[in-house]
Amino acid sequence: MTKTAERVGAPVPRVPPGTSRRTNWLVPIGLILLALVPVVTGSLRLVELGGGPEIMPDNPRADASPLPIAAHIASALIFTVFGAFQFVPGLRRRPWHRRAGRVLAPLGLVAALSAIWMSVFYAHPEGTDELLVAFRLAFGSAMAVFIVLGVVAIRRRNITAHRAWMTRAFAIGIGAGTQAVVLTVVPLVIPPTETSTALCHAASWVINLAVAEWAIRRRPRG
């Protein structure tokens, strides 16, 4: 008992066993649920590219040059799903975190750089204007830079900076999940245009980065 509790005769509240552990696992579960739509659609596209049945809407870019989009989808899926578990405190203190990071960081770079490549060299589909292309280039480049800075930080044993940069990179990487929500809700209020669609994409990345910055600043140092 604390001294205060002893004086007033009140029992010291106890945290039920396993409560903090359950709370910690809510983060990766929530992140995976957020990414559920792009995970499902991306998986279906990979099946299609691998010779499976054509389930997804026709994508001439994928038919003409399937390798970049396949690399982007596969790397982004693994980076998003397994990257979510990097936020579990218990796993960060185990070899899993380091071993997974050595795989996820390069995959994150593949996802970012392939997105940049497709934005530059793929023919833009209908409904895509130059503003959306500019946003994709900007946020794709930022994701790649954040991953590099995160790797540099951990090599210097700067764990706090490493976590911050990788959190920002993951926030951009999971942007497709937030975009699925925003692009579903906003058109119910505002008629969709090329400009509004581009702004919805950008807003989704900004929302994720804002949440990431909030999490970074409330996280204990060290």
Side-chain angles (χ1 to χ4, degrees):
M1 285 189 179
T2 64
K3 291 183 179 180
T4 302
E6 288 175 351
R7 284 199 301 270
V8 300
V12 177
R14 297 178 180 237
V15 177
T19 297
S20 60
R21 291 183 181 180
R22 290 195 296 269
T23 302
N24 291 336
W25 281 95
L26 290 177
V27 174
I29 292 172
L31 292 172
I32 291 173
L33 288 176
L34 176 63
L36 188 60
V37 171
V39 165
V40 172
T41 57
S43 299
L44 292 176
R45 181 68 74 185
L46 282 179
V47 170
E48 183 179 298
L49 292 173
E54 295 185 3
I55 303 173
M56 300 298 294
D58 186 47
N59 187 339
R61 301 183 303 167
D63 296 334
S65 181
L67 182 58
I69 194 168
H72 176 74
I73 294 173
S75 59
L77 286 179
I78 298 172
F79 181 79
T80 299
V81 174
F82 289 94
F85 294 99
Q86 296 292 74
F87 295 96
V88 180
L91 293 180
R92 286 202 299 265
R93 294 186 288 270
R94 296 181 182 179
W96 149 270
H97 184 83
R98 181 179 300 178
R99 292 170 183 170
R102 289 172 178 169
V103 176
L104 293 174
L107 287 176
L109 282 175
V110 171
L113 296 177
S114 59
I116 294 172
W117 194 96
M118 290 188 294
S119 296
V120 173
F121 296 106
Y122 268 4
H124 301 158
E126 185 179 352
T128 302
D129 63 359
E130 295 302 321
L131 181 60
L132 179 54
V133 174
F135 284 143
R136 285 174 172 168
L137 291 174
F139 285 100
S141 300
M143 179 178 171
V145 170
F146 293 164
I147 292 174
V148 171
L149 290 174
V151 172
V152 171
I154 198 61
R155 289 180 66 85
R156 294 176 176 174
R157 300 290 189 264
N158 189 339
I159 296 175
T160 300
H162 167 73
R163 290 179 181 174
W165 289 120
M166 296 307 293
T167 298
R168 294 180 184 114
F170 186 83
I172 296 176
I174 203 172
T178 308
Q179 287 161 4
V181 176
V182 173
L183 290 169
T184 300
V185 174
V186 172
L188 299 176
V189 181
I190 303 173
T193 65
E194 289 186 352
T195 300
S196 68
T197 299
L199 292 175
C200 284
H201 279 81
S204 301
W205 282 310
V206 171
I207 290 169
N208 284 8
L209 285 171
V211 174
E213 290 300 326
W214 171 80
I216 290 167
R217 280 159 175 70
R218 71 185 295 271
R219 181 185 295 154
R221 292 185 174 272

